[in-house]
Amino acid sequence: VLRLPNLRQRKYHPYSLTDLYYFANLVKLIQFGIKKPFTEVIKANIGDAHAMGQRPITFLRQVVALCTYPNLLDSPSFPEDAKKRARRILQGCGGNSLGSYTASQGINCIREDVASYIERRDGGVPADPDNIYLTTGASDGISAILKILISGDGKSRTGVMIPIPQYPLYSAAISELDAIQVNYYLDEENCWALNVNELRRALNEAKAYCNPKVLCIINPGNPTGQVQSRKCIEDVIHFAWEEKLFLLADEVYQDNVYSEGCQFHSFKKILYEMGPEYYNNVELASFHSTSKGYMGECGYRGGYMEVINLHPEIKGQLVKLLSVRLCPPVSGQAAMDIVVNPPVPGEESYAQFIKEKESVLNNLAKKAKLTEDMFNKIPGVHCNPLQGAMYAFPRIFIPSKAIEEAKAHKMAPDMFYCMKLLEETGICVVPGSGFGQREGTYHFRMTILPPVEKLKILLEKVKDFHIKFLEKYA
């Protein structure tokens, strides 16, 4: 309790207080038989796929199980392609055990598999395993890179450019490291597009009070769900090259692209195709994770980052920094290996793997369209197309009377709205003010992960609540 004011002040995840305290108390009240106008609390606030009912990918779990308990390698219940991968991973572990420490950068054969995956994904663009760092989810890599990039005092203190709306990891890490947050706004009227003129405005204004050195991009977007076009990425890379900015490309949703005409382009690939003047000079760190995509393996905390064009001395400091935490979770490293080295045509497990993968992604695409359509039928709600990722970020109209009541409770208007939604329907979403938004606009973020039938019920409840909310505060 004593730490709560400090948490608010330092801008940690904005939904931590609501989730951990209010949400937990609501669940307990229901369990103890206290009457509420709902029978369950629906967690639509966080992208935790398996908690929302998504089934694990069989092959990934088989390999991790074999690595965890090698005696299963003699079992006829497991396919040979899973056993082959498990043996290779175990050979890279000290004592052939997942319980041993690994090198700080991660198991070498897994970093080789990551490099091969990147080359396949990017159509042959070379990737060096020595530039691959296995991480504890993508968050660990992002925080580590920021630590080595931030320096200076006063007006020379490092500025970090982040999109608004943004995933709160960035504002939290920037605050924790006492860096300077530099906001650039995504264009909501143009499907949350990234505009280089807006980047330039933010950069030029920031130069008056800090030294902007880092530019963060989230593609596909969280919480906004947009997928950046190739032209947009080229413009951003040119801008970074021109201004000598270090690029951070958060690409954890690269498998989650749903809209027709949209395609994921990695920053690494586009940078390479722009020619040696760019490819040999722009510093870039790209991030991926086991937590999103079709895998949804949040709990394994598996991830990687690829860092290119880092000065050798800085690279040495990065390895030293990573060695402080010894190594990422080894089970998470194994899970990451299956993401980048899945079954291929001709292997025993391929048919089941591809069936499960396509089922998850097709289901997400269906739910993305359903959510967009249903939100846009609600008066006073507008939702841009959910091109990718796994969230909706609708804009909501909040009447002036509700805004005044929120101020009386010392709450942001959209927090007030979300708390009312939670209290009256049991639906837990995240207010847009936690991610940042243009002054005078209000949003909330909601995951599309619940099963289709539950998602329909959820959306109907939101619709009914919103209409009653407008009537009450008209």
Side-chain angles (χ1 to χ4, degrees):
V1 173
L2 292 173
R3 293 183 62 195
L4 294 187
N6 186 47
L7 283 172
R8 286 194 182 99
Q9 179 186 352
R10 292 186 67 79
K11 299 180 185 175
Y12 282 82
H13 284 286
Y15 39 90
S16 296
L17 300 175
T18 302
D19 287 359
L20 296 181
Y21 292 90
Y22 196 84
F23 174 82
N25 287 336
L26 266 183
V27 173
K28 285 181 180 177
L29 288 172
I30 293 169
Q31 289 172 344
F32 285 125
I34 305 299
K35 294 297 181 183
K36 288 284 176 183
F38 47 86
T39 56
E40 66 170 329
V41 177
I42 302 174
K43 287 178 66 176
N45 59 320
I46 192 167
D48 191 354
H50 292 183
M52 300 305 291
Q54 181 178 308
R55 304 302 301 163
I57 298 297
T58 302
F59 188 76
L60 187 149
R61 288 297 183 90
Q62 286 175 330
V63 176
V64 176
L66 289 163
C67 289
T68 304
Y69 188 59
N71 287 0
L72 294 173
L73 289 164
D74 297 325
S75 170
S77 300
F78 289 80
E80 285 303 317
D81 47 0
K83 292 178 180 180
K84 178 182 175 184
R85 284 164 175 78
R87 289 189 185 100
R88 183 166 179 265
I89 292 168
L90 288 171
Q91 286 167 6
C93 298
N96 290 324
S97 172
L98 220 59
S100 60
Y101 288 128
T102 71
S104 298
Q105 272 187 257
I107 298 171
N108 188 59
C109 67
I110 297 179
R111 291 192 291 117
E112 289 173 353
D113 287 345
V114 171
S116 297
Y117 162 79
I118 292 170
E119 288 185 1
R120 292 194 308 273
R121 181 197 68 188
D122 293 344
V125 175
D128 183 352
D130 197 43
N131 291 334
I132 307 296
Y133 304 80
L134 301 183
T135 57
T136 308
S139 304
D140 173 51
I142 292 165
S143 297
I145 288 293
L146 287 174
K147 281 180 183 176
I148 66 165
L149 294 178
I150 291 169
S151 62
D153 294 300
K155 289 187 177 181
S156 66
R157 190 65 175 164
T158 300
V160 181
M161 301 179 68
I162 63 171
I164 299 296
Q166 52 102 21
Y167 177 53
L169 162 70
Y170 291 95
S171 55
I174 290 166
S175 177
E176 184 179 13
L177 296 168
D178 287 324
I180 308 299
Q181 179 174 317
V182 178
N183 296 339
Y184 66 87
Y185 288 87
L186 301 176
D187 183 2
E188 183 172 11
E189 305 307 317
N190 191 22
C191 203
W192 299 111
L194 196 166
N195 189 302
V196 171
N197 291 330
E198 170 61 12
L199 289 179
R200 201 171 301 283
R201 176 207 63 77
L203 180 83
N204 290 336
E205 289 182 8
K207 284 178 179 178
Y209 55 86
C210 69
N211 178 20
K213 291 198 297 188
V214 185
L215 172 57
C216 303
I217 311 289
I218 308 173
N219 180 47
N222 175 12
T224 44
Q226 84 285 2
V227 179
Q228 303 294 356
S229 68
R230 181 189 177 96
K231 174 66 166 59
C232 173
I233 294 172
E234 288 175 348
D235 290 345
V236 170
I237 290 172
H238 177 76
F239 175 77
W241 171 80
E242 199 174 43
E243 300 292 344
K244 295 182 172 55
L245 298 173
F246 195 112
L247 270 175
L248 302 189
D250 183 338
E251 299 174 337
V252 301
Y253 296 99
Q254 58 190 259
D255 289 304
N256 301 105
V257 177
Y258 315 123
S259 290
E260 228 176 282
C262 288
Q263 181 183 349
F264 170 75
H265 301 281
S266 79
F267 268 76
K268 164 84 176 295
K269 179 184 181 184
I270 304 303
L271 178 62
Y272 185 84
E273 292 175 349
M274 288 176 71
E277 189 173 10
Y278 294 93
Y279 185 69
N280 294 328
N281 292 292
V282 175
E283 295 165 306
L284 169 68
S286 307
F287 306 92
H288 196 15
S289 166
T290 61
S291 301
K292 308 304 176 185
Y294 58 90
M295 308 79 64
E297 295 283 7
C298 305
Y300 276 122
R301 308 309 300 132
Y304 75 76
M305 61 179 174
E306 182 186 25
V307 188
I308 60 172
N309 292 328
L310 200 59
H311 189 281
E313 288 184 17
I314 305 299
K315 190 173 183 177
Q317 294 301 316
L318 175 60
V319 173
K320 192 182 293 184
L321 175 66
L322 294 174
S323 69
V324 173
R325 54 95 159 112
L326 297 177
C327 68
V330 187
S331 56
Q333 295 186 49
M336 192 74 245
D337 188 67
I338 306 313
V339 175
V340 299
N341 185 25
V344 296
E347 288 191 306
E348 184 179 352
S349 301
Y350 177 76
Q352 182 181 7
F353 168 78
I354 206 69
K355 180 182 177 182
E356 291 176 353
K357 175 183 176 180
E358 289 179 353
S359 173
V360 171
L361 293 176
N362 291 340
N363 201 28
L364 283 169
K366 178 181 177 182
K367 290 190 284 188
K369 185 64 177 148
L370 169 71
T371 303
E372 176 196 338
D373 289 347
M374 288 191 72
F375 271 142
N376 285 327
K377 290 175 182 175
I378 304 174
V381 176
H382 173 72
C383 185
N384 274 323
L386 279 63
Q387 297 175 337
M390 48 184 63
Y391 313 99
F393 197 67
R395 182 170 175 172
I396 52 175
F397 170 70
I398 298 182
S400 56
K401 284 185 180 178
I403 294 172
E404 290 304 314
E405 188 168 331
K407 286 179 181 176
H409 286 86
K410 297 182 179 179
M411 298 171 75
D414 50 7
M415 173 62 102
F416 176 76
Y417 178 96
C418 291
M419 291 298 284
K420 287 288 186 185
L421 177 67
L422 178 60
E423 290 166 355
E424 295 179 23
T425 68
I427 296 169
C428 186
V429 297
V430 190
S433 51
F435 301 92
Q437 55 199 351
R438 284 197 180 274
E439 189 71 28
T441 68
Y442 306 107
H443 305 78
F444 63 81
R445 189 191 78 165
M446 187 197 86
T447 181
I448 61 171
L449 289 172
V452 172
E453 291 311 310
K454 181 171 275 193
L455 183 63
K456 287 178 180 177
I457 294 169
L458 185 157
L459 291 167
E460 284 294 339
K461 284 187 173 183
V462 172
K463 176 185 174 182
D464 293 343
F465 166 82
H466 187 79
I467 291 170
K468 289 176 184 175
F469 186 88
L470 293 183
E471 290 171 352
K472 179 177 180 180
Y473 292 102

